[in-house]
């Protein structure tokens, strides 16, 4: 399997953390792919019409996207405990946490894109709105920390850890840990997992 990949992308990282957690990382060949919201990658567009990474090219030539679909596909390939719980409350909790981590990451990426526009074109309202939404999500995670620590690792854990890792990578000045000791402690523990260590963001 070939993964259109970048060491800067939190959604790619989510897929690779997931692959390591499932013991499948060695079956994935990562191909460095440069994407930007404002500069479509013309080589990627025929494979993924939305031009986004992660995109997974399977051995039969078909492609899978987006990160949620790729992770669920990977979950179908291994014999260990499912990271997408199959049924019951555990499933809905994991899917909700997955959405929380993904939507937090979406907001971080949109916020970052606004900060990359020339200063006079940046909207103070948009910047303030993203900061409020990101801080609100971190505050919500503070109340989720004990349950995250108690529950078996799921897609929700992976998505939330990758969102927090992306804050450290691109928004270190946000100082998200201050006032959020419990989720900070959960993250420090989760970030020591080999899946997280081996997939750390690099700005290259
Ligand atoms: N919902 C998608 C989001 C993927 C995404 O936004 N990827 C970014 C890189 S982290 C991208 O490809 N951006 C290029 C673009 O927006 O054109 C997923 O979960 O895979």
């Amino acid at each position: 399997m070939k993964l259109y990949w970048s060491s800067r992308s939190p959604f790619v990282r989510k897929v690779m953390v997931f692959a390591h957690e499932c013991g499948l990382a060695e079956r994935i060949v990562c191909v460095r792919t440069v994407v930007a919201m404002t500069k479509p990658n013309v080589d990627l567009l025929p494979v993924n019409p939305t031009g986004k990474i992660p995109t997974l090219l399977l051995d039969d030539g078909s492609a899978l996207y987006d990160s949620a679909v790729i992770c669920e596909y990977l979950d179908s390939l291994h014999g260990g405990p499912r990271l997408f719980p199959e049924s019951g409350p555990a499933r809905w909790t994991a899917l909700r946490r997955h959405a929380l981590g993904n939507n937090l990451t979406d907001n971080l990426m949109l916020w970052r894109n606004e900060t990359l526009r020339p200063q006079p074109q940046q909207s103070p309202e948009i910047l303030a709105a993203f900061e409020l939404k990101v801080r609100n999500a971190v505050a919500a995670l503070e109340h989720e920390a004990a349950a995250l620590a108690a529950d078996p690792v799921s897609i929700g854990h992976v998505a939330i850890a990758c969102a927090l890792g992306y804050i450290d990578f691109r928004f270190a000045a946000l100082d998200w840990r201050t006032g959020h000791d419990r989720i900070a402690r959960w993250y420090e523990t989760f970030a020591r997992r080999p899946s997280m260590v081996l997939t750390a963001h690099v700005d290259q």
Side-chain angles (χ1 to χ4, degrees), residues 55-187:
T55 296
L56 186 70
L57 193 61
L58 304 184
D59 296 341
D60 68 2
S62 60
L64 287 179
Y65 39 83
D66 58 5
S67 62
V69 176
I70 297 170
C71 288
E72 195 154 1
Y73 173 71
L74 295 177
D75 216 22
S76 75
L77 297 184
H78 67 94
R82 292 278 171 271
L83 274 73
F84 283 79
E86 279 167 37
S87 60
R91 175 167 175 79
W92 305 119
T93 300
L95 294 186
R96 178 186 56 74
R97 288 177 180 155
H98 186 191
L100 177 55
N102 276 359
N103 289 317
L104 170 55
T105 305
D106 277 335
N107 280 335
L108 289 163
M109 299 206 63
L110 291 167
W111 184 11
R112 176 169 158 78
N113 273 290
E114 186 68 16
T115 66
L116 295 178
R117 281 151 55 86
Q119 228 275 331
Q121 290 172 28
Q122 293 180 23
S123 158
E125 288 80 13
I126 290 178
L127 293 171
F130 282 126
E131 178 164 358
L132 176 66
K133 287 192 262 189
V134 166
R135 288 195 185 280
N136 195 58
V138 172
L141 287 171
E142 179 69 359
H143 300 290
E144 192 92 20
L148 280 168
D151 291 346
V153 170
S154 75
I155 181 63
H157 293 69
V158 174
I160 288 169
C162 290
L164 294 173
Y166 192 68
I167 301 182
D168 281 345
F169 182 48
R170 293 299 195 200
F171 293 90
L174 202 63
D175 193 21
W176 66 268
R177 289 171 177 77
T178 299
H180 303 115
D181 297 354
R182 285 173 286 173
I183 191 67
R185 268 200 307 278
W186 172 80
Y187 179 72

Side-chain angles (χ1 to χ4, degrees), residues 9-11 14 35-37 50-54 66-68 106 109:
S9 162
F11 290 106
K14 190 182 84 184
V35 293
M37 230 173 244
T50 66
K52 294 192 183 199
I53 56 171
D66 58 5
S67 62
D106 277 335
M109 299 206 63

